[in-house]
Amino acid sequence: MDKQVIKTVIGEKQQQIGRTRLLQRSGQFDEHSCYVLVGIRRAGKSYTLYQNMQARISAGTAKVEDFLYINFEDERLASLKSDELGTLLDAYWEMYDQKHPLIYLDEIQNIDGWEKFARRLAEEKYRVMITGSNAKMLSREIASTLGGSYIQRYIYPFSFEEYLNYYGILLDKNWEFQPEKRLAVVRHFNEYFFRGGFAESFDKTDKREWLTSLYQKILMGDIVERNKIRNPRSFRLLARKLADSVMQPTTLKRLEHIIKSTGDSISPTVLKDYLDYMEDAYLIFSIPNLVSPLTEQQTIVKRYFADNGILNLFLTSGETKLLENIVAIQLNKRYHNTPDELRLFYYNKGVEIDFCIPEANKAIQVSYSIDDLDTYEREVGGLIKFLKTYKQYQGIIVTWDTERQIVEDGITIEAIPVWKWLAVNF
């Protein structure tokens, strides 16, 4: 790899550090630790790297020339192989005479075998931040290679609170009793609800066009090409059927029948691979049934999309699905399931509860409205039945715009509008 090209890339990125305007996002990093940041494409991983670099400059602990920042999606680096990664340091040292740089490696999953280089950097006491758009970066195999040298962090699209901050709406203690601010929150929520939290889309005139382009990039670049999928049509069909099935537990067998009913053929093995690819790219995430046997927790799950903007590309009049999906996203940010630790569930045994969080003792139903008697009896009645068995749980119903306290049979349930639930992180 030509070191002159690498030097040019390093110099260009250093110039961008100070010129990039940022809105402060939540999240603290220990300046003495190394991190692996993962999440869906365009969620803000590169943004987080810039934020960390700017914070170091503001604190006086680093200067621009201290940063070795490489984005591996730069086409000039397309031929770079893992055994050439050391050339990055060689090029930097020729520019800055053996300085000990702070190293930022963006979208490093594009380099097969990157983890050995990353481990060597950590062992040599470099401070390193790495990003990637594939969950395999956190696989047991890679974690073993990294040797526990890196802290793992998930980066998500903007939360509603961050979205409000972007538009200069800061919520003080009594904001909900201030009519103008409350109205502004509701107005901004309507856009956030349908278009999602990808910050890069906020200033776009045609947000749907931008989201469609992003979805195609995730589909073709992060999933189809990377995994060498031979039948993209079946894969696209599966994504659409998952959008239709949001809110419903689905089995592999049911998804297989749905796809076959359209005339396409797919084997259970290929179907499972496709679902794994979607989760690996952070396009979807799944939650199991709290009371299912361990084997069923892997096969019968509810699946949600990582952002409402992408889900909404598939839907017509999909407010009910979008409502449950946006609640799932918020809960997934706080109680992210991993293969080694399940924290977020749904409940289905006698009654159906949309979300259960055992460590927080919370049971959450999602209902667009509870004004209809049948809906009220199903949602509230089911939650009351659950709370009589699990007395330690707090019952919550997230609605579109209903706010009141429900007291029945000695059970208290809080009904709260979704925009308020998201804003106050209830």
Side-chain angles (χ1 to χ4, degrees):
M1 184 72 201
D2 187 349
K3 282 192 282 189
Q4 291 302 117
V5 173
I6 295 174
K7 290 177 185 179
T8 300
V9 171
I10 291 173
E12 287 178 356
K13 290 301 181 184
Q14 288 175 339
Q15 286 185 328
Q16 290 177 12
I17 292 168
R19 291 188 295 201
T20 302
R21 296 182 62 186
L22 302 175
L23 174 73
Q24 189 71 20
R25 295 194 71 182
S26 58
Q28 298 296 320
F29 296 93
D30 179 358
E31 67 175 52
H32 301 297
S33 297
C34 297
Y35 289 88
V36 176
L37 312 180
V38 293
I40 191 171
R41 181 178 292 273
R42 300 300 183 190
K45 299 182 296 296
S46 300
Y47 190 105
T48 303
L49 297 186
Y50 277 107
Q51 180 174 292
N52 185 264
M53 287 185 281
Q54 289 189 5
R56 288 178 182 270
I57 293 172
S58 297
T61 60
K63 300 177 182 179
V64 168
E65 59 266 26
D66 295 327
F67 300 117
L68 169 52
Y69 174 29
I70 298 291
N71 187 325
F72 291 97
E73 294 202 318
D74 191 317
E75 76 283 355
R76 292 169 293 182
L77 305 176
S79 64
L80 190 67
K81 306 299 182 185
S82 60
D83 59 3
E84 298 176 297
L85 287 171
T87 309
L88 303 178
L89 284 171
D90 293 338
Y92 178 88
W93 287 331
E94 289 183 9
M95 296 172 69
Y96 295 107
D97 192 26
Q98 301 297 313
K99 284 176 69 74
H100 199 73
L102 298 162
I103 301 176
Y104 296 77
L105 305 175
D106 208 354
E107 298 293 352
I108 199 172
Q109 81 282 343
N110 292 328
I111 307 294
D112 291 335
W114 62 268
E115 57 272 18
K116 292 181 180 179
F117 176 66
R119 177 169 180 167
R120 177 164 68 84
L121 291 176
E123 289 175 344
E124 293 176 2
K125 306 304 180 185
Y126 287 96
R127 299 298 169 227
V128 189
M129 294 187 76
I130 292 170
T131 78
S133 301
N134 193 294
K136 289 180 180 176
M137 292 187 66
L138 299 184
S139 68
R140 289 185 178 90
E141 180 181 348
I142 289 179
S144 176
T145 302
L146 292 178
S149 304
Y150 287 77
I151 298 171
Q152 301 171 359
R153 281 283 178 86
Y154 294 90
I155 305 297
Y156 302 93
F158 271 36
S159 67
F160 183 47
E161 182 180 10
E162 289 175 319
Y163 183 84
L164 292 173
N165 289 345
Y166 180 90
Y167 288 100
I169 300 174
L170 304 178
L171 302 183
D172 52 27
K173 183 178 180 181
N174 295 308
W175 67 269
E176 61 185 294
F177 304 111
Q178 302 168 23
E180 289 187 7
K181 185 164 286 189
R182 183 184 177 104
L183 182 61
V185 169
V186 174
R187 185 176 66 252
H188 278 86
F189 175 72
N190 287 329
E191 181 75 9
Y192 179 79
F193 181 73
F194 289 105
R195 299 306 181 205
F198 289 103
E200 196 173 330
S201 73
F202 295 168
D203 294 329
K204 303 295 183 185
T205 302
D206 192 335
K207 294 180 174 61
R208 185 179 181 88
E209 181 181 49
W210 186 90
L211 286 164
T212 299
S213 176
L214 172 63
Y215 171 68
Q216 293 300 328
K217 178 63 176 176
I218 294 170
L219 179 77
M220 299 307 297
D222 295 341
I223 301 177
V224 172
E225 291 180 10
R226 181 172 296 158
N227 297 290
K228 299 179 174 58
I229 292 176
R230 297 180 180 178
N231 188 353
R233 181 178 181 277
S234 291
F235 190 86
R236 290 175 183 272
L237 179 61
L238 175 61
R240 182 169 296 279
K241 295 306 179 183
L242 289 177
D244 289 340
S245 300
V246 163
M247 303 171 57
Q248 302 298 323
T250 53
T251 65
L252 292 178
K253 183 63 69 176
R254 179 172 180 268
L255 289 172
E256 183 184 352
H257 286 322
I258 290 174
I259 292 175
K260 286 184 175 180
S261 69
T262 66
D264 275 32
S265 178
I266 190 169
S267 71
T269 300
V270 171
L271 175 59
K272 184 179 184 306
D273 286 343
Y274 282 5
L275 292 168
D276 288 343
Y277 298 155
M278 287 185 181
E279 292 210 25
D280 285 344
Y282 298 100
L283 180 63
I284 64 171
F285 60 94
S286 59
I287 64 172
N289 187 357
L290 179 63
V291 291
S292 285
L294 186 59
T295 52
E296 288 187 8
Q297 286 188 348
Q298 305 297 320
T299 57
I300 306 176
V301 299
K302 294 171 73 173
R303 295 180 176 88
Y304 298 93
F305 279 70
D307 186 80
N308 262 29
I310 291 180
L311 173 60
N312 195 38
L313 295 174
F314 301 97
L315 302 178
T316 302
S317 300
E319 287 83 355
T320 301
K321 293 175 181 176
L322 289 168
L323 179 61
E324 184 164 326
N325 197 77
I326 207 168
V327 172
I329 290 169
Q330 180 73 359
L331 293 174
N332 187 53
K333 289 178 180 178
R334 181 179 290 189
Y335 307 104
H336 189 99
N337 286 338
T338 69
D340 298 318
E341 183 181 20
L342 296 177
R343 305 171 67 199
L344 175 62
F345 304 84
Y346 71 95
Y347 180 96
N348 191 342
K349 187 178 181 181
V351 297
E352 295 184 12
I353 306 297
D354 293 323
F355 303 103
C356 288
I357 308 102
E359 68 184 70
N361 288 326
K362 288 186 178 180
I364 300 174
Q365 293 282 57
V366 181
S367 180
Y368 194 85
S369 171
I370 53 174
D371 294 336
D372 175 75
L373 181 59
D374 289 341
T375 303
Y376 180 91
E377 290 180 349
R378 181 180 67 251
E379 303 292 349
V380 177
L383 194 49
I384 287 174
K385 186 175 180 180
F386 174 88
L387 294 171
K388 284 183 176 180
T389 301
Y390 298 91
K391 300 182 185 299
Q392 74 275 25
Y393 275 71
Q394 174 192 9
I396 301 168
I397 298 181
V398 180
T399 70
W400 182 251
D401 59 8
T402 299
E403 182 171 13
R404 62 190 172 102
Q405 188 177 82
I406 301 168
V407 181
E408 287 191 20
D409 293 342
I411 303 292
T412 300
I413 297 170
E414 299 291 340
I416 182 171
V418 59
W419 49 265
K420 181 178 178 181
W421 183 81
L422 290 171
V424 302
N425 215 0
F426 199 81

